[in-house]
Amino acid sequence: MNKKSDEQLIYDFQQGNKVAYEMLYSRYKDRIYNFVYRYVNDVDIAQDIAHDTFLKLYTHKHTYKEIAKFSTWLFTIALNICRTELRKKKRRQTYSTSELSTEDREFAISSDKNVIEDKGSDSFEINTIVNLCLMKLSEEFRTMIIFRDIQELSYDVISNIMELPIGTVKSRINRGRIKLNEFLKEKGYNKC
């Protein structure tokens, strides 16, 4: 059986073949969710963003042009939605909720992160520590590390998504890894 490329499938979907969309969704749903989860470190927000990414793929299918790989285009959509959501979240956290109360007091807004429950293994603890350390990285370093080390995207694809020269991408990945290792050492993990 001849497996169609992503670019062939998006072309078929643009021509009205909804099965092609389902195949693209099946190929990318886990990768997009994992990328988004690592980026925002919140299960509910990650599910919403992944859903929005595929909704945008569905509703904006005709904006894809075969000048870039389909995966580059899809990850760019997910990244842009992540950035928008984080900006919204940051704005929501800066507002005071004291006007919601008739009493003159402030409400504490919890910033607890939801994590995937699988506490039966040591990998759960390591994964949790890595996620927390990832969130301490600046956005540019976090994005680069997730794309390269977790999603295993090539330098070329990352360069296209981020619209940066390959040398800059490699440099930021290296600096991000160094910073991530520093944070991991602070948490007592010497090698990850």
mmCIF file of all heavy atoms in Angstrom, residues 25 32-34 36-37 40 42-54 114 116:
data_model
loop_
_atom_site.group_PDB
_atom_site.id
_atom_site.type_symbol
_atom_site.label_atom_id
_atom_site.label_comp_id
_atom_site.label_asym_id
_atom_site.label_seq_id
_atom_site.Cartn_x
_atom_site.Cartn_y
_atom_site.Cartn_z
ATOM 1 N N TYR A 25 -5.166 14.336 10.835
ATOM 2 C CA TYR A 25 -5.466 14.449 12.257
ATOM 3 C C TYR A 25 -4.861 13.260 13.015
ATOM 4 O O TYR A 25 -4.207 13.430 14.048
ATOM 5 C CB TYR A 25 -6.980 14.516 12.478
ATOM 6 C CG TYR A 25 -7.363 14.512 13.936
ATOM 7 C CD1 TYR A 25 -7.250 15.677 14.691
ATOM 8 C CD2 TYR A 25 -7.809 13.353 14.561
ATOM 9 C CE1 TYR A 25 -7.580 15.678 16.044
ATOM 10 C CE2 TYR A 25 -8.143 13.352 15.902
ATOM 11 C CZ TYR A 25 -8.025 14.512 16.638
ATOM 12 O OH TYR A 25 -8.345 14.518 17.969
ATOM 13 N N ILE A 32 1.049 17.152 18.124
ATOM 14 C CA ILE A 32 0.621 18.532 18.407
ATOM 15 C C ILE A 32 0.274 18.666 19.886
ATOM 16 O O ILE A 32 0.702 19.614 20.554
ATOM 17 C CB ILE A 32 -0.573 18.943 17.506
ATOM 18 C CG1 ILE A 32 -0.126 19.048 16.040
ATOM 19 C CG2 ILE A 32 -1.210 20.240 17.988
ATOM 20 C CD1 ILE A 32 0.879 20.152 15.751
ATOM 21 N N TYR A 33 -0.497 17.720 20.423
ATOM 22 C CA TYR A 33 -0.852 17.804 21.840
ATOM 23 C C TYR A 33 0.403 17.800 22.713
ATOM 24 O O TYR A 33 0.524 18.605 23.646
ATOM 25 C CB TYR A 33 -1.784 16.655 22.253
ATOM 26 C CG TYR A 33 -2.001 16.647 23.741
ATOM 27 C CD1 TYR A 33 -2.891 17.553 24.326
ATOM 28 C CD2 TYR A 33 -1.267 15.814 24.570
ATOM 29 C CE1 TYR A 33 -3.052 17.590 25.703
ATOM 30 C CE2 TYR A 33 -1.422 15.842 25.943
ATOM 31 C CZ TYR A 33 -2.315 16.735 26.502
ATOM 32 O OH TYR A 33 -2.461 16.792 27.858
ATOM 33 N N ASN A 34 1.335 16.896 22.437
ATOM 34 C CA ASN A 34 2.556 16.816 23.246
ATOM 35 C C ASN A 34 3.360 18.107 23.168
ATOM 36 O O ASN A 34 3.877 18.586 24.182
ATOM 37 C CB ASN A 34 3.416 15.621 22.812
ATOM 38 C CG ASN A 34 2.811 14.310 23.246
ATOM 39 O OD1 ASN A 34 2.115 14.226 24.237
ATOM 40 N ND2 ASN A 34 3.060 13.264 22.476
ATOM 41 N N VAL A 36 2.196 21.134 22.518
ATOM 42 C CA VAL A 36 1.442 22.189 23.210
ATOM 43 C C VAL A 36 1.512 21.985 24.722
ATOM 44 O O VAL A 36 1.734 22.933 25.481
ATOM 45 C CB VAL A 36 -0.022 22.231 22.716
ATOM 46 C CG1 VAL A 36 -0.868 23.154 23.572
ATOM 47 C CG2 VAL A 36 -0.084 22.650 21.252
ATOM 48 N N TYR A 37 1.359 20.736 25.170
ATOM 49 C CA TYR A 37 1.418 20.480 26.611
ATOM 50 C C TYR A 37 2.774 20.890 27.183
ATOM 51 O O TYR A 37 2.849 21.536 28.229
ATOM 52 C CB TYR A 37 1.137 19.004 26.931
ATOM 53 C CG TYR A 37 1.353 18.714 28.390
ATOM 54 C CD1 TYR A 37 0.451 19.182 29.344
ATOM 55 C CD2 TYR A 37 2.483 18.028 28.828
ATOM 56 C CE1 TYR A 37 0.665 18.957 30.695
ATOM 57 C CE2 TYR A 37 2.700 17.799 30.167
ATOM 58 C CZ TYR A 37 1.797 18.264 31.101
ATOM 59 O OH TYR A 37 2.009 18.066 32.438
ATOM 60 N N VAL A 40 2.822 24.811 27.339
ATOM 61 C CA VAL A 40 1.991 25.534 28.316
ATOM 62 C C VAL A 40 1.941 24.858 29.683
ATOM 63 O O VAL A 40 1.524 25.483 30.654
ATOM 64 C CB VAL A 40 0.546 25.752 27.789
ATOM 65 C CG1 VAL A 40 0.552 26.556 26.520
ATOM 66 C CG2 VAL A 40 -0.189 24.442 27.576
ATOM 67 N N ASP A 42 -0.076 22.674 30.965
ATOM 68 C CA ASP A 42 -1.422 22.651 31.529
ATOM 69 C C ASP A 42 -2.269 21.748 30.644
ATOM 70 O O ASP A 42 -2.450 22.043 29.462
ATOM 71 C CB ASP A 42 -1.998 24.065 31.582
ATOM 72 C CG ASP A 42 -3.344 24.120 32.277
ATOM 73 O OD1 ASP A 42 -4.287 23.460 31.795
ATOM 74 O OD2 ASP A 42 -3.464 24.840 33.280
ATOM 75 N N VAL A 43 -2.783 20.658 31.199
ATOM 76 C CA VAL A 43 -3.517 19.656 30.418
ATOM 77 C C VAL A 43 -4.738 20.259 29.730
ATOM 78 O O VAL A 43 -4.947 20.048 28.533
ATOM 79 C CB VAL A 43 -3.930 18.465 31.318
ATOM 80 C CG1 VAL A 43 -4.853 17.511 30.578
ATOM 81 C CG2 VAL A 43 -2.712 17.733 31.834
ATOM 82 N N ASP A 44 -5.562 20.997 30.471
ATOM 83 C CA ASP A 44 -6.796 21.545 29.901
ATOM 84 C C ASP A 44 -6.511 22.549 28.790
ATOM 85 O O ASP A 44 -7.142 22.506 27.732
ATOM 86 C CB ASP A 44 -7.651 22.200 30.994
ATOM 87 C CG ASP A 44 -8.164 21.180 32.006
ATOM 88 O OD1 ASP A 44 -8.379 20.010 31.616
ATOM 89 O OD2 ASP A 44 -8.342 21.555 33.179
ATOM 90 N N ILE A 45 -5.571 23.440 29.039
ATOM 91 C CA ILE A 45 -5.223 24.437 28.022
ATOM 92 C C ILE A 45 -4.613 23.736 26.807
ATOM 93 O O ILE A 45 -4.915 24.084 25.660
ATOM 94 C CB ILE A 45 -4.272 25.501 28.596
ATOM 95 C CG1 ILE A 45 -5.009 26.351 29.640
ATOM 96 C CG2 ILE A 45 -3.721 26.390 27.485
ATOM 97 C CD1 ILE A 45 -4.120 27.324 30.387
ATOM 98 N N ALA A 46 -3.788 22.723 27.043
ATOM 99 C CA ALA A 46 -3.176 21.989 25.932
ATOM 100 C C ALA A 46 -4.232 21.305 25.072
ATOM 101 O O ALA A 46 -4.155 21.336 23.835
ATOM 102 C CB ALA A 46 -2.174 20.958 26.463
ATOM 103 N N GLN A 47 -5.232 20.721 25.704
ATOM 104 C CA GLN A 47 -6.311 20.085 24.940
ATOM 105 C C GLN A 47 -7.061 21.120 24.109
ATOM 106 O O GLN A 47 -7.376 20.879 22.937
ATOM 107 C CB GLN A 47 -7.272 19.352 25.875
ATOM 108 C CG GLN A 47 -6.676 18.107 26.473
ATOM 109 C CD GLN A 47 -7.540 17.489 27.550
ATOM 110 O OE1 GLN A 47 -8.441 18.122 28.108
ATOM 111 N NE2 GLN A 47 -7.258 16.232 27.869
ATOM 112 N N ASP A 48 -7.344 22.275 24.703
ATOM 113 C CA ASP A 48 -8.051 23.332 23.974
ATOM 114 C C ASP A 48 -7.233 23.840 22.790
ATOM 115 O O ASP A 48 -7.762 24.040 21.697
ATOM 116 C CB ASP A 48 -8.380 24.510 24.905
ATOM 117 C CG ASP A 48 -9.457 24.164 25.921
ATOM 118 O OD1 ASP A 48 -10.160 23.140 25.741
ATOM 119 O OD2 ASP A 48 -9.590 24.917 26.909
ATOM 120 N N ILE A 49 -5.953 24.056 23.009
ATOM 121 C CA ILE A 49 -5.094 24.583 21.942
ATOM 122 C C ILE A 49 -4.926 23.554 20.828
ATOM 123 O O ILE A 49 -4.974 23.900 19.642
ATOM 124 C CB ILE A 49 -3.735 25.038 22.497
ATOM 125 C CG1 ILE A 49 -3.918 26.279 23.376
ATOM 126 C CG2 ILE A 49 -2.748 25.329 21.358
ATOM 127 C CD1 ILE A 49 -2.672 26.720 24.114
ATOM 128 N N ALA A 50 -4.749 22.292 21.192
ATOM 129 C CA ALA A 50 -4.640 21.242 20.170
ATOM 130 C C ALA A 50 -5.920 21.191 19.347
ATOM 131 O O ALA A 50 -5.879 21.117 18.109
ATOM 132 C CB ALA A 50 -4.344 19.896 20.817
ATOM 133 N N HIS A 51 -7.057 21.268 20.023
ATOM 134 C CA HIS A 51 -8.346 21.288 19.318
ATOM 135 C C HIS A 51 -8.429 22.499 18.385
ATOM 136 O O HIS A 51 -8.829 22.369 17.229
ATOM 137 C CB HIS A 51 -9.491 21.311 20.330
ATOM 138 C CG HIS A 51 -10.830 21.472 19.712
ATOM 139 N ND1 HIS A 51 -11.489 20.459 19.068
ATOM 140 C CD2 HIS A 51 -11.628 22.570 19.609
ATOM 141 C CE1 HIS A 51 -12.638 20.914 18.599
ATOM 142 N NE2 HIS A 51 -12.739 22.180 18.915
ATOM 143 N N ASP A 52 -8.050 23.665 18.892
ATOM 144 C CA ASP A 52 -8.087 24.883 18.077
ATOM 145 C C ASP A 52 -7.145 24.786 16.870
ATOM 146 O O ASP A 52 -7.453 25.310 15.794
ATOM 147 C CB ASP A 52 -7.712 26.107 18.914
ATOM 148 C CG ASP A 52 -8.778 26.478 19.932
ATOM 149 O OD1 ASP A 52 -9.905 25.928 19.858
ATOM 150 O OD2 ASP A 52 -8.486 27.308 20.813
ATOM 151 N N THR A 53 -6.014 24.117 17.052
ATOM 152 C CA THR A 53 -5.061 23.944 15.951
ATOM 153 C C THR A 53 -5.703 23.145 14.818
ATOM 154 O O THR A 53 -5.630 23.534 13.649
ATOM 155 C CB THR A 53 -3.783 23.229 16.445
ATOM 156 O OG1 THR A 53 -3.182 24.023 17.459
ATOM 157 C CG2 THR A 53 -2.804 23.013 15.306
ATOM 158 N N PHE A 54 -6.370 22.057 15.168
ATOM 159 C CA PHE A 54 -6.998 21.231 14.129
ATOM 160 C C PHE A 54 -8.257 21.886 13.566
ATOM 161 O O PHE A 54 -8.585 21.688 12.397
ATOM 162 C CB PHE A 54 -7.265 19.823 14.645
ATOM 163 C CG PHE A 54 -6.002 19.028 14.755
ATOM 164 C CD1 PHE A 54 -5.396 18.832 15.986
ATOM 165 C CD2 PHE A 54 -5.381 18.523 13.625
ATOM 166 C CE1 PHE A 54 -4.205 18.127 16.085
ATOM 167 C CE2 PHE A 54 -4.195 17.824 13.709
ATOM 168 C CZ PHE A 54 -3.601 17.623 14.944
ATOM 169 N N ASN A 114 -1.639 21.664 36.036
ATOM 170 C CA ASN A 114 -2.167 20.301 35.945
ATOM 171 C C ASN A 114 -1.121 19.423 35.299
ATOM 172 O O ASN A 114 -0.476 19.823 34.358
ATOM 173 C CB ASN A 114 -3.434 20.277 35.093
ATOM 174 C CG ASN A 114 -4.564 21.038 35.731
ATOM 175 O OD1 ASN A 114 -4.719 20.986 36.931
ATOM 176 N ND2 ASN A 114 -5.342 21.740 34.946
ATOM 177 N N ILE A 116 -0.234 15.257 33.970
ATOM 178 C CA ILE A 116 -0.822 13.983 33.618
ATOM 179 C C ILE A 116 -0.581 13.012 34.762
ATOM 180 O O ILE A 116 0.535 12.859 35.232
ATOM 181 C CB ILE A 116 -0.212 13.465 32.302
ATOM 182 C CG1 ILE A 116 -0.529 14.443 31.174
ATOM 183 C CG2 ILE A 116 -0.718 12.071 31.979
ATOM 184 C CD1 ILE A 116 0.196 14.155 29.889
#
